[in-house]
Coordinates of all heavy atoms in Angstrom, one line a residue:
M168 N 23.8 15.1 9.3 CA 22.3 15.1 9.0 C 21.9 13.6 9.0 O 21.2 13.1 8.2 CB 21.9 15.6 7.7 CG 22.2 17.0 7.5 SD 20.9 18.1 8.4 CE 19.5 17.9 7.3
G169 N 22.3 12.7 9.9 CA 22.0 11.4 9.9 C 20.6 11.1 10.5 O 20.1 11.8 11.4
H170 N 19.9 10.2 9.8 CA 18.7 9.8 10.4 C 18.8 8.9 11.6 O 19.8 8.1 11.6 CB 17.8 9.0 9.3 CG 17.4 9.9 8.2 ND1 16.3 10.7 8.4 CD2 17.8 10.1 7.0 CE1 16.0 11.4 7.3 NE2 17.0 11.0 6.4
S171 N 18.0 9.1 12.6 CA 18.1 8.3 13.8 C 17.3 7.0 13.6 O 17.3 6.1 14.5 CB 17.7 9.0 15.0 OG 16.4 9.4 14.8
L172 N 16.6 6.9 12.5 CA 15.7 5.8 12.3 C 16.5 4.5 12.1 O 17.6 4.5 11.4 CB 14.8 5.9 11.1 CG 13.7 7.0 11.1 CD1 13.2 7.2 9.7 CD2 12.7 6.7 12.2
R173 N 16.2 3.4 12.8 CA 17.0 2.2 12.6 C 16.2 1.3 11.6 O 15.7 0.2 12.0 CB 17.1 1.5 14.0 CG 17.7 2.4 15.0 CD 18.1 1.7 16.3 NE 19.0 0.5 16.0 CZ 19.3 -0.4 16.8 NH1 18.9 -0.3 18.0 NH2 20.1 -1.3 16.6
S174 N 16.1 1.9 10.4 CA 15.3 1.2 9.3 C 16.0 0.2 8.7 O 15.4 -0.7 8.0 CB 14.7 2.2 8.4 OG 15.8 2.9 7.9
S175 N 17.4 0.1 8.8 CA 18.2 -0.7 8.0 C 17.9 -2.2 8.2 O 18.1 -3.1 7.4 CB 19.6 -0.5 8.2 OG 20.0 -0.6 9.5
T176 N 17.5 -2.5 9.5 CA 17.1 -3.9 9.7 C 15.9 -4.5 9.0 O 15.6 -5.6 9.0 CB 17.0 -4.1 11.3 OG1 16.0 -3.2 11.7 CG2 18.3 -3.7 12.0
L177 N 15.0 -3.5 8.6 CA 13.8 -3.9 8.0 C 14.0 -4.0 6.5 O 13.0 -4.6 5.7 CB 12.8 -2.9 8.2 CG 12.3 -2.7 9.7 CD1 11.5 -1.6 9.9 CD2 11.6 -4.1 10.1
V178 N 15.1 -3.4 5.9 CA 15.2 -3.4 4.5 C 15.8 -4.6 3.9 O 16.7 -5.2 4.4 CB 16.1 -2.2 4.1 CG1 16.4 -2.1 2.6 CG2 15.6 -0.9 4.7
P179 N 15.0 -5.2 2.9 CA 15.5 -6.5 2.3 C 16.9 -6.2 1.7 O 17.2 -5.2 1.3 CB 14.5 -6.8 1.3 CG 13.3 -6.0 1.6 CD 13.8 -4.8 2.4
R180 N 17.7 -7.3 1.7 CA 19.0 -7.3 1.1 C 18.9 -6.9 -0.4 O 18.0 -7.3 -1.0 CB 19.7 -8.7 1.2 CG 21.1 -8.7 0.7 CD 21.7 -10.0 1.1 NE 21.8 -10.2 2.5 CZ 22.3 -11.3 3.1 NH1 22.8 -12.3 2.3 NH2 22.4 -11.5 4.3
G181 N 19.8 -6.0 -0.8 CA 19.8 -5.6 -2.2 C 19.0 -4.3 -2.4 O 19.0 -3.8 -3.6
F182 N 18.4 -3.8 -1.4 CA 17.6 -2.5 -1.5 C 18.4 -1.4 -0.6 O 19.0 -1.7 0.3 CB 16.2 -2.7 -1.0 CG 15.4 -3.5 -2.0 CD1 15.5 -4.9 -1.8 CD2 14.6 -3.0 -2.9 CE1 14.7 -5.8 -2.7 CE2 13.9 -3.7 -3.7 CZ 13.9 -5.2 -3.6
V183 N 18.1 -0.2 -1.0 CA 18.6 0.9 -0.3 C 17.4 1.8 0.1 O 16.5 1.9 -0.7 CB 19.7 1.7 -1.0 CG1 20.9 0.9 -1.2 CG2 19.2 2.2 -2.3
V184 N 17.5 2.4 1.2 CA 16.5 3.4 1.7 C 16.7 4.8 1.0 O 17.9 5.3 1.0 CB 16.4 3.6 3.1 CG1 15.4 4.6 3.6 CG2 16.1 2.3 3.9
Y185 N 15.7 5.5 0.3 CA 16.0 6.8 -0.2 C 15.0 7.8 0.4 O 15.2 8.9 0.0 CB 15.8 6.7 -1.8 CG 14.5 6.5 -2.3 CD1 13.7 7.6 -2.7 CD2 13.9 5.2 -2.5 CE1 12.4 7.4 -3.2 CE2 12.8 5.0 -3.1 CZ 11.9 6.1 -3.3 OH 10.7 6.0 -3.8
N186 N 14.2 7.3 1.1 CA 13.3 8.4 1.8 C 12.6 7.7 3.0 O 12.2 6.5 2.9 CB 12.2 8.9 0.8 CG 11.7 10.2 1.4 OD1 12.2 10.7 2.3 ND2 10.7 10.7 0.6
T187 N 12.3 8.5 4.1 CA 11.5 8.0 5.1 C 10.6 9.2 5.6 O 10.8 10.3 5.4 CB 12.3 7.6 6.4 OG1 13.2 8.7 6.8 CG2 13.2 6.5 6.1
A188 N 9.4 8.8 6.1 CA 8.5 9.8 6.4 C 7.5 9.2 7.4 O 7.3 7.9 7.5 CB 7.7 10.2 5.4
I189 N 6.9 10.0 8.3 CA 5.9 9.5 9.2 C 4.5 10.1 8.6 O 4.3 11.2 8.5 CB 6.1 10.1 10.6 CG1 7.5 9.7 11.1 CG2 5.0 9.6 11.6 CD1 7.7 8.3 11.5
D190 N 3.6 9.2 8.4 CA 2.3 9.6 7.9 C 1.2 9.0 8.7 O 0.9 7.9 8.7 CB 2.1 9.0 6.5 CG 0.8 9.5 5.8 OD1 0.2 10.3 6.3 OD2 0.4 8.7 4.9
D191 N 0.6 9.9 9.5 CA -0.5 9.6 10.3 C -0.3 8.4 11.3 O -0.9 7.4 11.4 CB -1.8 9.1 9.5 CG -3.0 9.3 10.2 OD1 -3.0 10.0 11.2 OD2 -4.1 8.8 9.8
G192 N 1.1 8.6 11.9 CA 1.5 7.6 12.8 C 2.1 6.3 12.2 O 2.6 5.4 13.0
V193 N 2.1 6.2 10.9 CA 2.8 5.1 10.2 C 4.1 5.5 9.7 O 4.2 6.5 9.0 CB 1.8 4.6 9.0 CG1 2.6 3.4 8.4 CG2 0.5 4.1 9.6
M194 N 5.0 4.7 9.9 CA 6.4 5.0 9.4 C 6.5 4.5 8.0 O 6.4 3.3 7.9 CB 7.5 4.4 10.3 CG 8.8 4.8 9.8 SD 10.2 3.9 10.7 CE 10.0 4.5 12.3
L195 N 6.7 5.3 7.1 CA 6.9 4.9 5.7 C 8.4 4.8 5.4 O 9.1 5.8 5.7 CB 6.2 6.0 4.7 CG 4.7 6.2 4.9 CD1 4.3 7.3 4.0 CD2 3.9 4.9 4.7
I196 N 8.7 3.8 4.8 CA 10.2 3.6 4.3 C 10.1 3.3 2.9 O 9.7 2.3 2.4 CB 10.8 2.5 5.1 CG1 10.7 2.7 6.6 CG2 12.3 2.3 4.6 CD1 11.3 1.6 7.4
A197 N 10.7 4.2 2.1 CA 10.7 4.1 0.7 C 12.1 3.5 0.3 O 13.1 4.1 0.7 CB 10.5 5.5 0.0
I198 N 12.1 2.3 -0.3 CA 13.2 1.7 -0.7 C 13.3 1.5 -2.3 O 12.3 1.5 -2.9 CB 13.5 0.3 0.0 CG1 12.3 -0.6 -0.5 CG2 13.5 0.5 1.5 CD1 12.5 -2.0 0.1
R199 N 14.5 1.3 -2.8 CA 14.6 1.0 -4.2 C 15.8 0.0 -4.3 O 16.7 0.0 -3.4 CB 14.9 2.2 -5.0 CG 16.2 3.0 -4.7 CD 16.2 4.2 -5.6 NE 17.2 5.1 -5.1 CZ 17.2 6.4 -5.2 NH1 16.2 7.0 -5.9 NH2 18.2 7.2 -4.8
P200 N 15.8 -0.8 -5.4 CA 16.9 -1.7 -5.6 C 18.2 -0.9 -5.7 O 18.4 0.1 -6.4 CB 16.6 -2.4 -7.0 CG 15.1 -2.2 -7.1 CD 14.8 -0.9 -6.5
A201 N 19.2 -1.5 -5.2 CA 20.6 -0.9 -5.2 C 21.1 -1.0 -6.6 O 22.0 -0.3 -7.0 CB 21.5 -1.6 -4.2
S202 N 20.8 -2.0 -7.3 CA 21.3 -2.2 -8.7 C 20.7 -1.3 -9.7 O 19.6 -0.9 -9.5 CB 21.1 -3.6 -9.2 OG 19.7 -3.9 -9.3
T203 N 21.5 -0.9 -10.7 CA 20.9 0.1 -11.7 C 20.5 -0.7 -12.9 O 19.8 -0.2 -13.8 CB 22.0 1.0 -12.3 OG1 23.1 0.3 -12.7 CG2 22.5 1.9 -11.0
A204 N 20.6 -2.1 -13.0 CA 20.3 -2.8 -14.1 C 19.3 -4.1 -13.6 O 19.3 -4.3 -12.5 CB 21.5 -3.4 -14.9
S205 N 18.6 -4.6 -14.6 CA 17.8 -5.8 -14.3 C 17.8 -6.8 -15.5 O 18.1 -6.3 -16.5 CB 16.4 -5.4 -14.1 OG 15.7 -6.5 -13.4
L206 N 17.7 -8.0 -15.2 CA 17.7 -9.0 -16.3 C 16.3 -9.3 -16.8 O 15.4 -9.4 -16.1 CB 18.3 -10.3 -15.7 CG 19.6 -10.3 -15.1 CD1 20.1 -11.7 -14.6 CD2 20.7 -9.9 -16.2
C207 N 16.3 -9.3 -18.2 CA 15.0 -9.7 -18.9 C 14.7 -11.1 -18.5 O 15.5 -12.0 -18.6 CB 15.2 -9.5 -20.4 SG 13.9 -10.1 -21.3
P208 N 13.5 -11.3 -18.1 CA 13.0 -12.7 -17.7 C 12.9 -13.6 -18.9 O 12.9 -14.8 -18.7 CB 11.7 -12.5 -17.0 CG 11.2 -11.2 -17.7 CD 12.4 -10.3 -17.9
V209 N 12.9 -13.1 -20.1 CA 12.7 -13.9 -21.2 C 14.1 -14.4 -21.8 O 14.3 -15.6 -22.0 CB 11.9 -13.2 -22.4 CG1 11.9 -14.0 -23.6 CG2 10.5 -12.9 -21.8
C210 N 14.9 -13.5 -21.9 CA 16.3 -13.7 -22.6 C 17.5 -13.6 -21.7 O 18.5 -14.1 -22.1 CB 16.4 -12.9 -23.9 SG 16.7 -11.1 -23.5
G211 N 17.3 -13.0 -20.6 CA 18.3 -12.9 -19.7 C 19.3 -11.8 -19.9 O 20.4 -11.7 -19.2
T212 N 19.0 -10.9 -20.8 CA 19.9 -9.8 -21.2 C 19.7 -8.7 -20.2 O 18.7 -8.4 -19.7 CB 19.5 -9.2 -22.5 OG1 19.7 -10.2 -23.6 CG2 20.4 -7.9 -22.8
S213 N 20.9 -8.2 -19.7 CA 20.9 -7.0 -18.7 C 20.6 -5.8 -19.4 O 21.0 -5.5 -20.4 CB 22.2 -7.0 -18.0 OG 22.2 -6.0 -17.0
S214 N 19.7 -5.0 -18.8 CA 19.3 -3.8 -19.3 C 19.3 -2.6 -18.2 O 19.0 -2.8 -17.1 CB 17.9 -3.8 -19.9 OG 17.5 -2.5 -20.3
E215 N 19.8 -1.4 -18.6 CA 19.8 -0.4 -17.7 C 18.9 0.7 -18.2 O 18.8 2.0 -17.7 CB 21.2 0.2 -17.6 CG 22.2 -0.7 -16.8 CD 23.5 0.1 -16.6 OE1 23.7 1.1 -16.9 OE2 24.5 -0.7 -16.2
R216 N 18.2 0.5 -19.4 CA 17.3 1.5 -19.9 C 15.9 1.4 -19.2 O 15.2 0.5 -19.5 CB 17.2 1.3 -21.5 CG 18.4 1.8 -22.1 CD 18.0 2.4 -23.5 NE 17.3 1.4 -24.3 CZ 16.1 1.7 -25.1 NH1 15.6 2.9 -25.1 NH2 15.6 0.7 -25.9
I217 N 15.7 2.4 -18.3 CA 14.4 2.4 -17.6 C 13.2 3.0 -18.5 O 13.4 3.9 -19.1 CB 14.6 3.2 -16.3 CG1 15.6 2.5 -15.4 CG2 13.2 3.4 -15.6 CD1 15.9 3.2 -14.1
H218 N 12.2 2.1 -18.6 CA 11.0 2.6 -19.2 C 10.1 3.4 -18.4 O 9.6 4.5 -18.8 CB 10.3 1.4 -19.8 CG 8.9 1.7 -20.4 ND1 7.7 1.6 -19.6 CD2 8.5 2.0 -21.6 CE1 6.7 1.8 -20.4 NE2 7.2 2.1 -21.6
S219 N 9.8 3.0 -17.2 CA 9.0 3.7 -16.3 C 9.2 3.2 -14.9 O 9.8 2.2 -14.7 CB 7.4 3.5 -16.7 OG 7.1 2.2 -16.8
R220 N 8.6 3.9 -14.0 CA 8.6 3.5 -12.6 C 7.3 3.4 -12.0 O 6.2 4.0 -12.4 CB 9.4 4.6 -11.7 CG 10.9 4.7 -12.2 CD 11.5 5.8 -11.4 NE 12.8 6.1 -11.8 CZ 13.8 5.5 -11.1 NH1 13.6 4.6 -10.1 NH2 15.1 5.7 -11.5
Y221 N 7.1 2.6 -11.1 CA 5.9 2.5 -10.3 C 6.2 2.1 -8.9 O 7.3 1.6 -8.6 CB 4.9 1.5 -11.0 CG 5.4 0.1 -11.0 CD1 4.9 -0.8 -10.1 CD2 6.4 -0.4 -11.8 CE1 5.3 -2.1 -10.0 CE2 6.8 -1.7 -11.8 CZ 6.2 -2.6 -10.9 OH 6.7 -3.8 -10.9
Q222 N 5.2 2.2 -8.0 CA 5.5 1.8 -6.6 C 4.7 0.6 -6.2 O 3.5 0.4 -6.6 CB 5.0 3.1 -5.7 CG 6.1 4.3 -5.9 CD 5.9 5.3 -4.8 OE1 4.8 5.5 -4.2 NE2 7.0 5.9 -4.4
R223 N 5.3 -0.1 -5.5 CA 4.7 -1.4 -4.9 C 4.7 -1.2 -3.4 O 5.6 -1.0 -2.8 CB 5.5 -2.6 -5.4 CG 5.3 -2.8 -6.9 CD 6.1 -4.1 -7.2 NE 5.4 -5.3 -6.8 CZ 5.7 -6.6 -7.3 NH1 6.6 -6.6 -8.2 NH2 5.1 -7.6 -6.9
R224 N 3.5 -1.4 -3.0 CA 3.5 -1.2 -1.5 C 3.4 -2.7 -0.9 O 2.6 -3.5 -1.2 CB 2.2 -0.5 -1.1 CG 2.2 0.4 0.1 CD 0.9 1.2 0.1 NE 1.4 2.6 -0.2 CZ 0.6 3.6 0.2 NH1 -0.4 3.4 0.9 NH2 1.0 4.9 -0.2
L225 N 4.2 -2.8 0.1 CA 4.3 -4.1 0.8 C 3.3 -4.1 2.0 O 2.9 -3.0 2.5 CB 5.7 -4.4 1.4 CG 6.7 -4.7 0.2 CD1 8.0 -5.2 0.9 CD2 6.3 -5.7 -0.7
A226 N 2.9 -5.2 2.5 CA 2.1 -5.3 3.7 C 2.8 -4.7 4.8 O 4.1 -4.7 4.9 CB 1.6 -6.7 4.0
D227 N 2.0 -4.0 5.6 CA 2.6 -3.4 6.9 C 3.4 -4.5 7.7 O 2.9 -5.6 7.9 CB 1.5 -2.8 7.8 CG 0.8 -1.6 7.0 OD1 1.3 -1.4 5.9 OD2 -0.1 -1.1 7.5
L228 N 4.5 -4.0 8.1 CA 5.3 -4.8 8.9 C 5.2 -4.6 10.4 O 4.9 -3.5 10.8 CB 6.8 -4.6 8.6 CG 7.2 -4.9 7.1 CD1 8.6 -4.4 6.9 CD2 6.9 -6.3 6.7
P229 N 5.3 -5.6 11.2 CA 5.2 -5.5 12.6 C 6.6 -4.9 13.2 O 7.6 -5.4 12.8 CB 5.0 -6.8 13.2 CG 5.6 -7.7 12.1 CD 5.4 -7.0 10.8
L230 N 6.5 -3.8 13.9 CA 7.7 -3.4 14.6 C 7.2 -2.9 15.9 O 6.1 -2.5 16.2 CB 8.3 -2.1 13.8 CG 9.6 -1.6 14.4 CD1 10.7 -2.6 14.1 CD2 9.9 -0.3 13.7
V231 N 8.1 -3.1 16.9 CA 7.7 -2.9 18.3 C 7.1 -1.5 18.4 O 7.8 -0.4 18.2 CB 8.9 -3.0 19.2 CG1 8.5 -2.8 20.6 CG2 9.6 -4.3 19.0
G232 N 5.8 -1.4 18.8 CA 5.2 -0.1 19.1 C 4.7 0.8 17.9 O 4.1 1.7 18.0
K233 N 5.3 0.4 16.7 CA 4.9 1.3 15.6 C 4.6 0.5 14.3 O 5.3 -0.5 14.0 CB 6.2 2.2 15.3 CG 6.2 3.4 15.9 CD 7.4 4.2 15.4 CE 7.9 5.3 16.4 NZ 9.2 6.0 15.9
P234 N 3.6 0.8 13.6 CA 3.4 0.3 12.3 C 4.4 0.8 11.2 O 4.7 2.0 11.3 CB 1.9 0.7 11.9 CG 1.7 1.9 12.7 CD 2.6 1.9 13.9
V235 N 4.9 -0.1 10.4 CA 5.8 0.3 9.5 C 5.4 -0.1 8.1 O 5.0 -1.3 7.9 CB 7.3 -0.3 9.7 CG1 8.2 0.0 8.7 CG2 7.8 0.3 11.0
R236 N 5.6 0.8 7.1 CA 5.1 0.4 5.7 C 6.3 0.5 4.7 O 6.8 1.6 4.7 CB 4.0 1.2 5.3 CG 3.4 0.8 3.9 CD 2.1 1.6 3.7 NE 1.1 1.2 4.7 CZ 0.1 2.0 5.1 NH1 0.0 3.2 4.5 NH2 -0.7 1.5 5.9
L237 N 6.6 -0.6 4.0 CA 7.7 -0.5 3.0 C 7.1 -0.2 1.7 O 6.1 -0.8 1.3 CB 8.5 -1.9 3.0 CG 9.5 -2.1 4.0 CD1 10.2 -3.5 3.7 CD2 10.6 -1.1 4.0
V238 N 7.6 0.7 1.0 CA 7.2 1.1 -0.3 C 8.4 0.9 -1.2 O 9.5 1.6 -1.0 CB 6.6 2.5 -0.4 CG1 6.2 2.8 -1.9 CG2 5.5 2.8 0.5
I239 N 8.2 0.1 -2.3 CA 9.4 -0.2 -3.1 C 9.2 0.6 -4.4 O 8.1 0.7 -5.0 CB 9.4 -1.7 -3.6 CG1 9.8 -2.6 -2.4 CG2 10.3 -2.0 -4.7 CD1 9.8 -4.0 -2.7
D240 N 10.2 1.3 -4.8 CA 10.3 2.0 -6.1 C 10.8 1.0 -7.2 O 11.9 0.8 -7.3 CB 11.2 3.3 -6.0 CG 11.2 4.0 -7.3 OD1 10.3 4.0 -8.0 OD2 12.4 4.6 -7.6
A241 N 9.7 0.3 -7.8 CA 10.1 -0.6 -8.8 C 10.1 0.0 -10.3 O 9.6 1.1 -10.4 CB 9.0 -1.7 -8.8
R242 N 10.7 -0.7 -11.2 CA 11.0 -0.2 -12.4 C 10.7 -1.1 -13.5 O 10.7 -2.4 -13.4 CB 12.5 0.2 -12.6 CG 12.9 1.1 -11.6 CD 14.5 1.2 -11.5 NE 15.1 0.0 -10.9 CZ 16.3 -0.2 -10.6 NH1 17.2 0.8 -10.8 NH2 16.7 -1.3 -10.1
R243 N 10.3 -0.6 -14.7 CA 10.2 -1.4 -15.9 C 11.3 -1.0 -16.9 O 11.7 0.1 -17.0 CB 8.8 -1.1 -16.6 CG 7.6 -1.5 -15.8 CD 6.3 -1.3 -16.7 NE 5.2 -1.6 -15.8 CZ 4.5 -0.7 -15.1 NH1 4.8 0.5 -15.1 NH2 3.4 -1.1 -14.4
F244 N 11.9 -2.0 -17.5 CA 13.0 -1.8 -18.3 C 12.6 -2.1 -19.8 O 11.8 -3.0 -20.2 CB 14.2 -2.8 -17.9 CG 14.8 -2.2 -16.7 CD1 14.3 -2.7 -15.4 CD2 15.9 -1.4 -16.5 CE1 14.9 -2.3 -14.3 CE2 16.6 -1.0 -15.4 CZ 16.0 -1.5 -14.2
H245 N 13.4 -1.5 -20.8 CA 13.4 -1.9 -22.2 C 14.4 -3.1 -22.3 O 15.4 -3.2 -21.7 CB 13.9 -0.8 -23.0 CG 13.0 0.4 -23.1 ND1 12.0 0.5 -23.9 CD2 13.1 1.5 -22.4 CE1 11.4 1.6 -23.7 NE2 12.1 2.3 -22.8
C246 N 14.0 -4.2 -23.0 CA 14.9 -5.2 -23.4 C 15.4 -4.8 -24.9 O 14.7 -4.7 -25.8 CB 14.2 -6.5 -23.4 SG 15.4 -7.8 -23.9
D247 N 16.8 -4.8 -25.0 CA 17.3 -4.4 -26.3 C 17.8 -5.5 -27.1 O 18.3 -5.3 -28.2 CB 18.5 -3.4 -26.0 CG 18.1 -2.0 -25.4 OD1 17.0 -1.6 -25.8 OD2 18.8 -1.6 -24.7
A248 N 17.5 -6.7 -26.6 CA 18.0 -7.9 -27.5 C 17.1 -7.9 -28.7 O 15.9 -7.9 -28.6 CB 17.8 -9.2 -26.6
V249 N 17.8 -8.1 -29.8 CA 17.0 -7.9 -31.1 C 16.1 -9.2 -31.3 O 15.0 -9.0 -31.8 CB 18.1 -8.0 -32.3 CG1 17.4 -8.1 -33.6 CG2 19.0 -6.8 -32.2
L250 N 16.5 -10.4 -30.8 CA 15.7 -11.5 -31.0 C 14.7 -11.8 -29.9 O 14.0 -12.8 -30.0 CB 16.6 -12.7 -31.3 CG 17.5 -12.6 -32.5 CD1 18.4 -13.9 -32.6 CD2 16.7 -12.5 -33.7
C251 N 14.7 -10.9 -29.0 CA 13.8 -11.2 -27.8 C 12.4 -10.6 -28.1 O 12.3 -9.5 -28.5 CB 14.4 -10.5 -26.5 SG 13.3 -10.7 -25.0
G252 N 11.3 -11.4 -27.8 CA 10.1 -11.0 -28.1 C 9.5 -9.9 -27.1 O 8.5 -9.3 -27.3
R253 N 10.2 -9.8 -25.9 CA 9.7 -9.0 -24.9 C 10.4 -7.6 -25.0 O 11.6 -7.4 -25.0 CB 10.1 -9.6 -23.5 CG 9.6 -8.8 -22.3 CD 8.1 -9.0 -22.1 NE 7.8 -10.3 -21.8 CZ 7.6 -10.8 -20.4 NH1 7.9 -9.9 -19.5 NH2 7.3 -12.0 -20.3
R254 N 9.6 -6.6 -25.3 CA 10.2 -5.3 -25.4 C 10.4 -4.5 -24.1 O 11.3 -3.7 -23.9 CB 9.3 -4.4 -26.3 CG 8.8 -5.1 -27.6 CD 10.0 -4.9 -28.7 NE 10.1 -3.5 -29.1 CZ 9.4 -2.9 -30.0 NH1 8.4 -3.6 -30.6 NH2 9.7 -1.6 -30.3
I255 N 9.4 -4.7 -23.2 CA 9.5 -4.1 -21.9 C 9.2 -5.2 -20.8 O 8.3 -6.0 -21.0 CB 8.4 -3.0 -21.8 CG1 8.7 -1.8 -22.8 CG2 8.3 -2.4 -20.5 CD1 7.5 -1.0 -23.1
F256 N 10.0 -5.1 -19.8 CA 9.7 -6.2 -18.8 C 9.8 -5.4 -17.4 O 10.4 -4.4 -17.3 CB 10.8 -7.3 -18.8 CG 12.2 -6.8 -18.6 CD1 12.7 -6.8 -17.4 CD2 13.1 -6.5 -19.7 CE1 14.0 -6.5 -17.1 CE2 14.3 -6.0 -19.5 CZ 14.8 -6.1 -18.2
T257 N 9.1 -6.0 -16.4 CA 9.1 -5.5 -15.1 C 10.1 -6.2 -14.3 O 10.3 -7.3 -14.3 CB 7.7 -5.8 -14.5 OG1 6.6 -5.2 -15.3 CG2 7.6 -5.4 -13.1
E258 N 10.7 -5.4 -13.5 CA 11.8 -5.8 -12.6 C 11.3 -6.8 -11.6 O 10.2 -6.7 -11.1 CB 12.2 -4.6 -11.9 CG 13.4 -4.9 -10.9 CD 14.0 -3.5 -10.5 OE1 13.2 -2.5 -10.4 OE2 15.1 -3.4 -10.3
R259 N 12.0 -7.9 -11.4 CA 11.6 -9.0 -10.5 C 12.5 -8.9 -9.3 O 13.6 -8.5 -9.2 CB 11.9 -10.3 -11.2 CG 11.1 -10.4 -12.5 CD 10.4 -11.8 -12.5 NE 9.6 -11.9 -13.6 CZ 8.8 -12.9 -13.9 NH1 9.1 -14.1 -13.1 NH2 8.0 -13.0 -14.9
F260 N 11.8 -9.3 -8.2 CA 12.5 -9.3 -6.9 C 12.4 -10.8 -6.4 O 11.6 -11.6 -6.8 CB 11.8 -8.4 -5.9 CG 11.6 -7.0 -6.4 CD1 10.5 -6.4 -6.7 CD2 12.8 -6.3 -6.6 CE1 10.4 -5.2 -7.2 CE2 12.7 -5.0 -7.1 CZ 11.5 -4.4 -7.4
D261 N 13.3 -11.0 -5.5 CA 13.4 -12.3 -4.9 C 12.0 -12.5 -4.1 O 11.4 -11.6 -3.6 CB 14.5 -12.4 -3.8 CG 15.8 -12.4 -4.5 OD1 15.8 -12.7 -5.6 OD2 16.8 -12.1 -3.7
G262 N 11.6 -13.8 -4.2 CA 10.3 -14.2 -3.6 C 10.1 -13.7 -2.2 O 9.0 -13.3 -1.8
D263 N 11.2 -13.8 -1.3 CA 10.9 -13.5 0.1 C 10.8 -12.1 0.3 O 10.2 -11.7 1.3 CB 12.1 -14.1 0.9 CG 13.5 -13.5 0.4 OD1 13.5 -13.1 -0.8 OD2 14.4 -13.5 1.1
V264 N 11.1 -11.2 -0.7 CA 11.0 -9.8 -0.5 C 9.5 -9.4 -0.6 O 9.0 -8.6 0.3 CB 11.7 -8.9 -1.6 CG1 11.4 -7.5 -1.4 CG2 13.2 -9.3 -1.4
L265 N 8.8 -10.0 -1.5 CA 7.4 -9.6 -1.7 C 6.4 -10.7 -1.1 O 5.3 -10.7 -1.5 CB 7.1 -9.4 -3.2 CG 7.9 -8.3 -3.8 CD1 7.7 -8.1 -5.2 CD2 7.7 -7.0 -3.1
A266 N 6.9 -11.6 -0.3 CA 6.1 -12.7 0.1 C 4.8 -12.3 0.7 O 3.9 -12.9 0.6 CB 7.0 -13.6 1.1
P267 N 4.8 -11.2 1.6 CA 3.5 -10.8 2.3 C 2.4 -10.7 1.4 O 1.3 -10.9 1.7 CB 3.9 -9.5 3.0 CG 5.4 -9.6 3.2 CD 5.9 -10.3 2.0
S268 N 2.6 -10.3 0.1 CA 1.5 -10.0 -0.8 C 1.1 -11.3 -1.7 O 0.1 -11.2 -2.3 CB 1.8 -8.9 -1.7 OG 2.9 -9.2 -2.5
S269 N 1.9 -12.3 -1.6 CA 1.5 -13.5 -2.4 C 1.0 -14.5 -1.5 O 1.9 -15.0 -0.6 CB 2.7 -13.9 -3.2 OG 3.8 -14.2 -2.4
R270 N 0.0 -15.2 -1.8 CA -0.4 -16.3 -1.0 C -0.8 -17.5 -1.8 O -1.4 -17.3 -2.9 CB -1.7 -16.0 -0.2 CG -1.5 -15.1 0.9 CD -2.7 -15.0 1.9 NE -2.2 -14.2 3.0 CZ -2.6 -14.4 4.3 NH1 -3.4 -15.6 4.5 NH2 -2.2 -13.8 5.2
Ligands
ZN331 ZN1 14.8 -10.0 -23.5

């Protein structure tokens, strides 16, 4: 049951594809981080306790002959560090991954 889509070349390092679809001529590629944990930006503690999920849509990417849209399944985590003031934090990604949306 292998997909014939050659989407792997579009996927940022550290992410895995978990779904693909064609929607109105646009190829949707849903990706999520390969890691199960994320670091709290305040205290640096690693957490695997997911609080919630949300989707971040990246700008459409140019691909020969077809529009492609990357959708990231991003997560919010609980920080369990007792002395940390941040109870919930949003997963961060490398700047180049989300670069198209930041100017
Ligand atoms: Zn923390």
Side-chain angles (χ1 to χ4, degrees):
M168 294 285 285
H170 288 282
S171 60
L172 293 174
R173 304 188 61 187
S174 55
S175 59
T176 56
L177 294 169
V178 177
R180 186 172 295 181
F182 289 83
V183 295
V184 176
Y185 72 92
N186 200 7
T187 57
I189 304 290
D190 179 22
D191 205 13
V193 178
M194 184 189 296
L195 300 176
I196 302 176
I198 62 176
R199 63 183 168 207
S202 65
T203 58
S205 189
L206 297 180
C207 172
V209 176
C210 67
T212 299
S213 179
S214 174
E215 294 187 3
R216 282 214 302 138
I217 294 174
H218 170 267
S219 59
R220 295 173 180 274
Y221 65 104
Q222 290 198 330
R223 293 179 74 160
R224 215 169 252 205
L225 296 188
D227 294 359
L228 301 174
L230 185 70
V231 182
K233 269 186 198 171
V235 173
R236 184 170 298 152
L237 279 181
V238 179
I239 293 182
D240 179 31
R242 302 165 291 187
R243 295 186 184 90
F244 289 87
H245 293 277
C246 180
D247 291 326
V249 176
L250 297 179
C251 179
R253 183 74 66 92
R254 308 279 296 276
I255 295 164
F256 64 91
T257 300
E258 185 168 31
R259 299 221 171 182
F260 304 113
D261 290 341
D263 54 342
V264 173
L265 299 177
S268 60
S269 62
R270 286 199 173 213

